[in-house]
Each structure stands twice: as structure tokens, then as C-alpha cells.
Amino acid sequence: MNEENRKLEYLLEFQDTIEKKADVVGSRQTPFLQEILPFISVEDEPTLIYYSKRDAKIQINGYLYIEEASTLNLYVVDYEPLFSKDAIPIINMTTVKEVANKAKRFYTNVESIIETADRSMEFFDLIKLIIGKRDEIEEVNIFVVSSKFYLSNKPIDISIPGIETVNVHVWDMDRIYKLSEAEQGIREFDLQFKSHYNSTIQFMRVPSTTGDVLIDCYIGAIPALLLAKLYDDWGPKLVERNVRSFLQARGGTNKGIRDTLKDPAQRELFVAYNNGISSVAKSGDIIQIQESNLYNIESLKGWQIVNGGQTTASIHQAYKNGINLEGVYVQAKLTILNTGDESVENEMDRFDLEDQLIAKISEYANTQNKINKSDLLANTRFMSAIEKESRNTWIPSLDNRKEESKWYFERARGQYMVDISRRSKGKEQTIFKKVYPKENVITKVELAKYFMSWKGYPHVSSKGGEEAFKKFMDLNSTYWKQSLTTNDNGEITKPIENISSNYYKELIAMRLINSFVKGIVDEMKLKGYRANVIYYTVAMLGYLYKDQINLIEVWNKQKLSDSWKDIIRIIAANALNYLKESAGEQNVTQWAKKQECWNDFIKESANVLKALV
């Protein structure tokens, strides 16, 4: 199957998920944005809203204000469910800019929008924020989230009066597809330095103290011109395993790289100024030079830059702008992963070993950019154990027939759809989907939010998946991290615990309770703050009635008993009123992220709500 057909199949599977969710919530844009957000991987999660005025070409789907950086992120969705099934849908630069301008117009027209705005809707908070913080906002990031493929990847330039920096970040299906594949393993492609580029890289091999090693490590320098040409030919494929993908050369670090390369007096000092790149590969043609410790790298298989994506793309941008790169070198580290058949017992173990090594290399090599804890901890023993339970544990049958399906824990982003694509179209994929239905897929950050809400941390869930995941991992550290305890003889190491089948079932039960509450909240058609209301309702339900709700029983029945419906309705209505009234002049979604908000909710409402049963 060629690359375009794989992309088309991936898109069809992705949109099938969106359409199923759209049938439930009554819209496509919000479910689509929710599916894309885990790939964007911001530290905090945006507030999802919806405002559209077609005649004025204004639209906004979400926002996030980062106060300490005086930065406002605006999210705008371009979702098209109808397209030819014969070719992937393409979006061009002009259309991307038109979509981005819809978000810009919301920002620049807030004074006129507020005159007719419904003050009970969530987008009203954004209007107040823009008006109140206009003199403080220094940077606006517009995220264009599209269901099409933006193949040109050209940067989009937009300006907003009074804003020093405006960035447009395009998250299209091409990018999502590549990230999904990259999460599953190193891409199989060959780079022929000698035959295709008439060049070789000369590196020094780092000596090994033992003969049996998992890696070979080389250090040296790569000509900036060769690196630019490689990126020109292969593009994002070279940096797919970089934990923070490069967008545009806009930030301070990237501008510094660009300015250094522009200045002839500074150019040769680039190697001294820049930290260089860290890379991994599966294998290569590496020829020792006589009996020295120097080696010529003539080709590499599956080469990936795991740190230095900004450096690479900035050098490429300088190359495209005609800047002379002769005499410029980039220091580089190359790690060859010795995970062939001789090193590990089977292919799955090899993939796991590669992922673990790359995760560690990425974690320790990345110092320039903030990286996501959820990405780095995806390969912990704890995460792998949950994944294993999900693949081995059948969902109980409620009608005495044999079990037919399981939950699918998605340890790596996009894992489910990649798993489908690895199977032959037709019978194999049909059987897989029957065992693992789309509605039974649960990601690691979703699982964390459900856990945190039930355990009484709705303010953490309200901060988003990344914060929830970090707290989730902290609370469950006994399952993945050794700890020290002190006895009479001094410090001793406490062993890592194994998760039990019941623990896994309880995790899924928390997801089932969350879905049950979500369904009731949607039926109530409450105005605004849906996600926060769900988190706080689940948390209060757990706080008041956890002794009366048996999680294993919820697992066995695959739902919470209908007898809780009326109680949940009352808690949800109370939660919405509390959030709005207690916030005062504060932004409600920001207030919901504070420990104080949860503490006050308990003080104000717990005694009253406890009398419901």
C-alpha cells in the first residue's frame, strides 16, 4: 500500500470516530478538536467554546491564556466530513490563512461582538479576557486545526494591531498521521549520504567497556549544508521522533540561529554557539578509517533527530533564503540501536526496547524545549502493564454468551488506528474492530482525568490531560518507580508493585462512571462549562458516595446503576450554579482549576447533597 492510500485509510478511520461522537453531542467541530488536542500537547488544556458568524467570517473554537507569558492561544477548526474517497483532501496556503483570519477577526471585533453576546455562554469569558487583558497580551498563537492535508507546510503570516508577535500553527491531518506513525517506531527509510548527496559524515566512535551493548554511539559534526539538503528532501520525517516538533522559526532560539547564520563574521562560530543535534538510527554503512577511531558514515537506515529539530529546520530555512552555509558545521551525536534479532527474542520486544531507548534519549537530550511527561512516561512498566491488561481482559457478557470485546488502552498517541492499518483491509480489520470497538478506546491522559476526578481532584482534571497525567503518575508511583524507605538499619529500596486485574477493572470503572455522568449532563442541556461540570460532578459523587458504589460491580455491569441518575442531575445542576456564582469576576474555567474552588464546593454543597440518599 502506498503512502497516500495509508493516509486516506487513516483519515477515514479518524473521521469515523468523529462522526460517531458527533451523533451523540450534535456537532463535529468540538469532537474533532478534542481528538486533535492530545497531539498538540500543550501543558495546559484550552477551554473549548464555539462562536461563529458566517457573514462576518468570524469563528473561534477554543482558547487558552498563559498569564505568566502574556500569551493567548486561539483555536479555530476547519472540519470537512465530505470528500472524495479516492484521494486525500488538500488544503492550500490561501485557505489556511482564511481560516486563521476567522480567529483574528474574533480578537479584533470583540467590542462589537459583546453587544449581542449571550452572557451565559462560555465564549463570553474570552470576550471579557481580551478586553481586560488587551494591554498585557504580547503574543497571540492561532492554531488552525484542519481535517485536510496541508502538504506545502509553508508558514502563514498574519498581524494583529497592538500585538508584538502573532504565530499561526497548522495542525492538519498530514501532521497527525505522521505523529501517529512516529509514536509506534522509527520510520523505515534509507539516507544514502555517499551515493545521493556525494558526501559522507566523519564521526568518532565512543569506546565501549563491554562487547555486548545495546547501542553504538558516535560523535562529530555534520555540514550544515548537508543537513539542510536532507531536511529539504525528507522534511518532517527526520524529526518525527522529536518530542517537541518544530513549527516555524519564530521563537527566540530560532531567531538566534537565523541571525548567527546571516552574519558572515559569526557563521563559523555556529558550532560553538549551538548545542547541535542528537539522533538515532537502526543501522547504517559505517566504515572505519584505517585503524583509527574515526568512521565514515555513508548511509543510515531509519535516521531520526530526537533533539535538535529547531536547529535543523532553522538551518533549512536559512538555506531556502539563500544564506551561504559553506563552512558551517553542526555538532552531532548518533546512536545506533542494536536491537536486531540477536539482541532480543522477538519483534515486539524489539519495538518495545527501541521505544524505551528513544524515550530516554529524548528525555535526557532535550534541554531547549519543554517536553510532555505523558510522552516520556508512556513506556514505563506501569503503562505497559495497563496496556497488557487491556489486551488480555475480556468485557463480561451480560446475556450469558461468550465475551466478544475488550477495552483498548492507547499507550501511545494514534496507536489504535496504526494497529488497524497494520492489518489487512477486510476480514482482519473487521475482526480487530469487533474485539476492540472504537468506543472502547481510552488514552492515557483520558484515563488520568477520569481517575483524578473520581479520587477528588476535579481542579486537576480541569487543568487538562497533561497535568492530570503527571498527578496520576505521582499518585501511582509504587507501580513504576522504586522508592526509598527508612528502617532501623538505614535506607532500603522498596520494590515496584505489580498492578492487579482488579486494579485495571477499577480504572475502567472510573471511565464508565465519567461517561455515565457525561451522558446525563448532555441530556440536561446545561449552558456552559460542560467539562468542568462533569469533573466536579464525578468528584462530588465519589466524595459523598464512594462507599456505596462498588467499582468492580460497575465493571461487571459496564455501567453505573440507573438509580444514581436523579442524584447526578442534582449534583450537576448544583455544580454549574456553584462554579458560576463562586467565580465572581474571575474567569470560570480558570477558577475551576484551583484547589480552593474544590475545597469551597465541598464546604458549600457537600452536606446538602449528602442528604439525597
Side-chain angles (χ1 to χ4, degrees):
M1 184 186 296
N2 64 35
E3 185 82 349
E4 182 162 333
N5 286 338
R6 283 200 298 270
K7 289 180 179 181
L8 185 58
E9 279 201 13
Y10 182 86
L11 175 61
L12 290 171
E13 288 291 343
F14 201 98
Q15 289 204 328
D16 187 48
T17 302
I18 304 305
E19 295 301 311
K20 282 183 168 62
K21 292 187 176 182
D23 291 340
V24 176
V25 302
S27 72
R28 291 186 174 97
Q29 291 190 7
T30 298
F32 179 61
L33 181 54
Q34 286 174 322
E35 289 294 314
I36 299 297
L37 284 176
F39 290 92
I40 298 178
S41 300
V42 290
E43 182 73 14
D44 207 348
E45 209 163 271
T47 299
L48 302 187
I49 58 177
Y50 179 72
Y51 179 87
S52 177
K53 197 171 182 181
R54 291 190 178 183
D55 56 339
K57 296 182 179 179
I58 298 174
Q59 181 184 318
I60 200 77
N61 296 89
Y63 72 96
L64 173 67
Y65 182 58
I66 307 165
E67 192 159 8
E68 59 271 21
S70 301
T71 298
L72 178 64
N73 293 348
L74 300 176
Y75 298 78
V76 58
V77 170
D78 167 57
Y79 183 83
E80 176 57 66
L82 302 175
F83 62 89
S84 168
K85 298 290 194 295
D86 299 324
I88 58 174
I90 306 297
I91 187 170
N92 58 31
M93 181 180 176
T94 301
T95 306
V96 169
K97 191 167 185 175
E98 287 173 1
V99 175
N101 274 319
K102 291 180 180 180
K104 170 188 172 178
R105 292 188 194 101
F106 183 94
Y107 185 95
T108 56
N109 287 276
V110 286
E111 279 83 2
S112 60
I113 295 172
I114 197 172
E115 294 175 3
T116 57
D118 184 343
R119 291 173 181 261
S120 67
M121 299 303 289
E122 286 170 283
F123 67 77
F124 190 75
D125 281 347
L126 176 57
I127 294 172
K128 289 195 301 180
L129 188 150
I130 292 172
I131 293 173
K133 301 282 187 180
R134 180 164 275 158
D135 292 338
E136 300 174 26
I137 297 173
E138 298 175 356
E139 181 174 331
V140 172
N141 292 307
I142 298 175
F143 289 81
V144 175
V145 182
S146 177
S147 62
K148 303 183 186 74
F149 288 73
Y150 184 48
L151 300 181
S152 72
N153 202 32
K154 293 178 181 177
I156 308 297
D157 290 319
I158 283 180
S159 61
I160 296 177
I163 301 298
E164 183 179 335
T165 305
V166 180
N167 301 317
V168 177
H169 305 302
V170 184
W171 283 84
D172 65 310
M173 287 310 301
D174 194 55
R175 187 171 190 177
I176 300 304
Y177 167 79
K178 288 172 179 175
L179 278 173
S180 294
E181 283 215 329
E183 290 270 336
Q184 316 310 317
I186 303 175
R187 292 289 294 271
E188 295 280 357
F189 62 91
D190 293 333
L191 293 176
Q192 299 292 336
F193 303 129
K194 187 174 183 179
S195 60
H196 290 177
Y197 298 94
N198 195 29
S199 178
T200 59
I201 309 169
Q202 197 170 99
F203 277 9
M204 179 179 73
R205 187 172 183 272
V206 178
S208 170
T209 56
T210 62
D212 185 20
V213 292
L214 290 174
I215 64 167
D216 285 322
C217 189
Y218 301 84
I219 56 175
I222 182 171
L225 184 59
L226 173 60
L227 189 60
K229 289 178 179 179
L230 290 168
Y231 192 83
D232 197 50
D233 290 343
W234 296 93
K237 287 184 179 181
L238 292 182
V239 294
E240 284 173 344
R241 290 308 293 254
N242 197 348
V243 285
R244 288 296 271 184
S245 295
F246 178 86
L247 293 178
Q248 297 178 27
R250 301 284 189 124
T253 301
N254 307 314
K255 288 179 180 177
I257 293 171
R258 182 194 61 196
D259 293 343
T260 300
L261 293 172
K262 275 184 177 179
D263 184 354
Q266 297 288 312
R267 200 174 296 146
E268 289 188 8
L269 296 175
F270 182 86
V271 70
Y273 293 160
N274 187 265
N275 287 333
I277 63 174
S278 293
S279 64
V280 296
K282 287 188 174 183
S283 61
D285 292 324
I286 303 174
I287 312 300
Q288 186 176 14
I289 301 175
Q290 297 177 351
E291 295 183 1
S292 70
N293 197 33
L294 292 176
Y295 292 77
N296 278 328
I297 315 293
E298 297 185 353
S299 71
L300 289 174
K301 184 175 183 179
W303 192 47
Q304 287 281 290
I305 297 170
V306 294
N307 174 256
Q310 292 191 68
T311 295
T312 304
S314 296
I315 286 172
H316 174 256
Q317 189 176 61
Y319 168 72
K320 297 298 282 186
N321 290 338
I323 294 175
N324 182 10
L325 297 178
E326 290 292 343
V328 179
Y329 289 87
V330 183
Q331 61 178 315
K333 180 171 70 174
L334 168 66
T335 302
I336 302 293
L337 305 177
N338 295 325
T339 56
D341 293 335
E342 308 84 10
S343 305
V344 291
E345 293 182 3
N346 58 61
E347 191 176 72
M348 288 308 297
D349 288 341
R350 179 168 62 82
F351 284 136
D352 286 344
L353 184 57
E354 284 174 1
D355 284 342
Q356 290 173 35
L357 285 171
I358 291 168
K360 285 296 183 185
I361 293 168
S362 300
E363 179 179 7
Y364 299 140
N366 257 284
T367 55
Q368 289 182 331
N369 293 309
K370 195 172 186 68
I371 55 178
N372 283 341
K373 202 76 170 177
S374 57
D375 292 333
L376 297 178
L377 297 179
N379 295 304
T380 58
R381 175 176 172 175
F382 180 41
M383 291 287 100
S384 297
I386 296 174
E387 180 185 35
K388 184 177 180 181
E389 286 290 337
S390 81
R391 304 301 189 269
N392 294 334
T393 307
W394 292 92
I395 295 173
S397 172
L398 301 179
D399 55 7
N400 296 318
R401 293 189 298 168
K402 71 175 183 178
E403 298 92 343
E404 293 185 326
S405 61
K406 304 173 185 177
W407 286 88
Y408 185 100
F409 175 65
E410 196 174 65
R411 181 170 55 86
R413 293 174 298 179
Q415 186 178 4
Y416 177 76
M417 278 181 278
V418 172
D419 233 347
I420 290 174
S421 68
R422 284 175 174 169
R423 287 160 172 79
S424 300
K425 195 172 183 181
K427 187 177 179 180
E428 276 192 26
Q429 289 190 2
T430 301
I431 292 172
F432 180 84
K433 291 177 187 178
K434 186 176 181 180
V435 176
Y436 301 106
K438 274 190 174 70
E439 58 270 21
N440 286 4
V441 177
I442 180 170
T443 69
K444 57 184 179 290
V445 292
E446 287 173 338
L447 188 69
K449 286 195 286 186
Y450 303 146
F451 178 94
M452 297 311 299
S453 296
W454 179 253
K455 291 293 185 179
Y457 299 88
H459 54 291
V460 177
S461 295
S462 295
K463 291 178 181 179
E466 193 63 27
E467 283 297 313
F469 184 80
K470 285 193 288 187
K471 185 69 174 177
F472 170 72
M473 294 299 284
D474 286 343
L475 293 176
N476 289 283
S477 61
T478 56
Y479 296 118
W480 65 278
K481 186 165 59 174
Q482 286 186 332
S483 60
L484 294 177
T485 58
T486 304
N487 59 13
D488 294 338
N489 300 321
E491 289 185 337
I492 60 172
T493 301
K494 186 179 179 182
I496 297 173
E497 295 180 19
N498 294 317
I499 72 166
S500 65
S501 176
N502 276 355
Y503 178 85
Y504 165 74
K505 292 173 182 177
E506 288 176 353
L507 287 178
I508 300 300
M510 294 173 199
R511 192 271 193 196
L512 292 164
I513 291 170
N514 187 91
S515 297
F516 190 83
V517 170
K518 187 186 297 181
I520 293 171
V521 169
D522 288 340
E523 287 175 7
M524 294 172 70
K525 300 189 183 303
L526 299 174
K527 279 196 170 184
Y529 313 106
R530 174 178 174 270
N532 304 117
V533 169
I534 292 168
Y535 300 145
Y536 274 75
T537 301
V538 170
M540 185 60 79
L541 184 70
Y543 179 82
L544 296 175
Y545 304 114
K546 62 183 175 185
D547 292 338
Q548 299 173 52
I549 297 174
N550 186 306
L551 294 177
I552 297 300
E553 186 177 325
V554 173
W555 160 266
N556 288 332
K557 293 182 178 178
Q558 288 293 292
K559 65 173 292 189
L560 187 61
S561 169
D562 287 344
S563 62
W564 291 98
K565 278 188 174 182
D566 290 340
I567 294 169
I568 290 170
R569 288 191 185 97
I570 295 170
I571 295 175
N574 188 285
L576 178 60
N577 291 334
Y578 164 77
L579 289 170
K580 285 183 174 180
E581 292 171 8
S582 63
E585 291 301 311
Q586 299 180 73
N587 181 296
V588 175
T589 54
Q590 294 304 312
W591 166 238
K593 296 175 182 179
K594 296 180 180 179
Q595 172 86 52
E596 182 187 354
C597 180
W598 169 236
N599 292 343
D600 289 354
F601 186 40
I602 293 173
K603 290 176 186 176
E604 182 174 311
S605 304
N607 288 336
V608 175
L609 295 172
K610 196 170 186 178
L612 296 175
V613 175

